[in-house]
Amino acid sequence: MVRVARWALLVAAVFFAVTTVAGLRDSSIAINEVDRWLGNGFSAAAGTMCLARAILVRGERAAWVAIGIGLLFYGAGTAYFTTQVADRNPQPSPSPADIGWLVFYLATYISVILLLRKRVSRFHPSVWLDALVGGLGVAALASGLAAGAIGKVRATSMSAVGLNLAYPLADLMLLVLVVSVFGLLGWRLERVWYLLGGSLIGFAVADTIVVGEVASGHYSAGGPVEVLWALALVLPAYAAWQRPPREKTEGLTGWGVLAIPAIFAIAALALLVFGAAVQRLPPATVALAAATVLVALVRTAITFAEVRQLAETKLQARTDELTGLANRRAFFERLDGLDVSANRGARRFALLVLDLDRFKEINDSLGHPVGDDLLKLVGRRIAAALRPADLLARLGGDEFAVILEDADAAVAKMVAERVLTALRDPFDVGAVTLHVDASIGAALHPDDAVTASVLLQRADVAMYAAKSARSGVEYYRPGADVHTPDRLDVIEALRGGLGDDQLRVHYQMKVDLRTGSCHGVEALVRWEHPTKGLLQPDVFLPLAEHTGLMRPLTLEVLGLALGQCRRWWDVGLDIGVAVNLSASNLLDTGFPAEVADLLELHGLPARALEFEITETALMLDRIRTAAVLTTLREMGIHIAVDDYGTGYSSLSYLRELPVDALKMDKSFVVHLESDPVAAAIVQSTVGLAHSLGLRIVVEGVETETAMRRLTEFGCDLAQGFYLGCPQPADELTPLLWHRHNHRSPAGSTALSAGSSQSQSQSQSQSQSVGRAGTAARVAQPAEPVRTGRTWT
């Protein structure tokens, strides 16, 4: 059927060509009659083609039925008029021809509105104001024209006056429809609108010419006007057989929507000015013109309000709802803009990516409202530390990014350090005081990357390096992202490996410097990866901490350590274990109950267990931490502060929290022999701990000289590679028996004997294996050492 339609359209094109030739030649009566009857044929053919389209093709049938009927009525009116003119019969006013032509206009309006409605998913309420402006404007023009025409004719000619006004007003409405469609939908429309628009404009222009010629008494049938009418009749047939749209337009946007109210507002103003300066118009015309202007002003006010709202919406679309900072979209727009401008020249800029440490633990333990309030405060602190031109954005979660324009490595370092300094002070979030650390990764353009996406990736790599090294800030180094693609695989494998017997625990002795006996052991977790083999803690613990896996990981290590402790107790080695807690455990009020269940499961008393907590974890939320630690302490479990001297080193928590021991970081012991200041710090810390009734434990003992100095200072316990390296339980057990059987009051003989057996093993292992990343460890006192505080 489509082929038939195409042939029919081709025939119509041929006849139109004949009409064009006939109409543009010198007219004779015969030629004019052929021209007019060809026009009648065009109307019937075009109407038939539109009805055929409605019958044979689904979609938009009502619109094409309407315009098809209108064209048939138009053709019938033209045929009647041609017959009566040829017979020279007088015609009533209005005549049947007028009825046919006016029906065409009405049907065309209906068709265009239906087609428009099918192509727009929703009309904005302001469109109805546009329609009101158009209606009032047409009414004002009609009343003004009617007043002028009525004054020039007799009362018996009123019907003729009405018809003479009806046609130009109908043509005006056709033009209004064309402008409306293109104003509402834009100029990049489907072909059907250009065909229909051309047809309607052709009708309007032809009618205007004819009305003018009739009014001046110079009208003659035929000529170019007939060609224009024929074209206006052919185009709807072509429009009917265009492919319909697949999707609706989402909405009506752009300044084109103001075309109709603007046109009629100007016309109404012209009427008012004309009525005031040239001719007195009737009150109805003035009132209608004034109403048109008033409604147009209201429409304009609504438009500007919508434009303002749109600007605010656009701003909101680029603003993070929680913090009020730029969001991910605004960040990438700015970054892409810098990337483009930098490629045109040698412009330099830096990118910082910042991630909060242990934020997930705060969210999980204290709730999302506390986490949200903390993010707001963090955003303000970071913003205050930046330069005015720097852009701070929240990328999502607890991840922020900073774009530093015109910045080199020195500027990036200065800003990063300022940000870290600003975040060191505690945050008061409601009734909770929180300490938050951050890890920052920095990358430079064009030194580290020449495209925005790669630069962001490398800043992210540097951020993870800072998190792993706990250094605060790291700068991208070539080759640092070798394992980046594997990070997600490691996280998912670790998530699946928990509870699947993949964790391994190695133990390192804690030696009593007075007796030389093994006072307890510390456990260091390893992961037996299914494909990568035994992984050290610095490989997977930062990822576990960042993804919220530390809580289940700590509980699994605790269970393994208590199980091994039970086996040692069963063979007569009554040594204790200590497990390092993550911050999430300290914020979990249900954790003590889980510990009690594990102790009961393995049949161990609470005195066999000690928990080691870093100063940073203690300061995260003192109130909740104190509650959890107090519950654990009341159960009989001992509490030790790990890595003492590397965190906040505030003495206030020693008074507020139930602490039993201080464990000095190995960084002080490493320089004990060469640095008098380090020796003084160790000695004074020992005195401070003893004066508070606390035990002192030192890490990182690597030489006999360091061990003897620590003994002279009065340290209670020591651990390090000189005394014994971390090793599996079955390898460590013989050394535990040796120290158990060779105790010495002076300690020197036993220490020397023990160290000589373990030193050869420790030399083969890297020091980083023993202590790096020990987020889950075990080592515990089984008996009291110092006076002041009472241990059971």
Side-chain angles (χ1 to χ4, degrees), residues 466-489:
K467 191 175 289 291
S468 299
R470 301 178 186 272
S471 58
V473 59
E474 289 287 338
Y475 303 90
Y476 175 77
R477 299 185 304 276
D481 53 349
V482 173
H483 302 292
T484 299
D486 297 333
R487 183 182 294 121
L488 184 59
D489 293 338

Side-chain angles (χ1 to χ4, degrees), residues 487-508:
R487 183 182 294 121
L488 184 59
D489 293 338
V490 172
I491 292 173
E492 293 304 317
L494 178 60
R495 194 185 307 274
L498 292 178
D500 195 30
D501 194 29
Q502 294 184 13
L503 296 184
R504 304 287 181 264
V505 179
H506 289 191
Y507 300 90
Q508 187 176 30

Side-chain angles (χ1 to χ4, degrees), residues 68-135:
I69 293 175
L71 287 169
L72 292 178
F73 267 89
Y74 189 91
T78 305
Y80 175 84
F81 179 79
T82 302
T83 302
Q84 296 302 315
V85 168
D87 296 339
R88 301 183 181 276
N89 295 325
Q91 296 298 309
S93 181
S95 70
D98 295 318
I99 297 175
W101 294 333
L102 292 176
V103 168
F104 163 74
Y105 285 109
L106 180 61
T108 302
Y109 302 152
I110 295 174
S111 176
V112 172
I113 292 173
L114 289 174
L115 289 174
L116 182 62
R117 192 66 187 91
K118 283 290 185 180
R119 283 160 171 76
V120 179
S121 59
R122 59 183 178 87
F123 278 95
H124 195 278
S126 59
V127 173
W128 302 112
L129 283 178
D130 296 339
L132 180 59
V133 171

Side-chain angles (χ1 to χ4, degrees), residues 600-667:
E600 183 179 0
L601 175 64
H602 295 287
L604 289 172
R607 63 183 177 85
L609 179 61
E610 181 179 70
F611 284 128
E612 297 183 3
I613 305 101
T614 62
E615 291 176 300
T616 302
L618 284 171
M619 302 297 287
L620 195 59
D621 178 4
R622 289 194 185 185
I623 297 177
R624 188 177 290 250
T625 297
V628 173
L629 291 181
T630 299
T631 302
L632 294 172
R633 188 66 187 82
E634 290 174 351
M635 293 167 55
I637 299 171
H638 300 295
I639 308 298
V641 176
D642 195 15
D643 298 336
Y644 178 78
T646 61
Y648 295 95
S649 299
S650 172
L651 298 179
S652 61
Y653 71 82
L654 297 178
R655 177 174 54 86
E656 299 171 359
L657 301 176
V659 177
D660 298 315
L662 299 181
K663 192 172 182 181
M664 286 197 68
D665 185 71
K666 64 180 180 181
S667 60

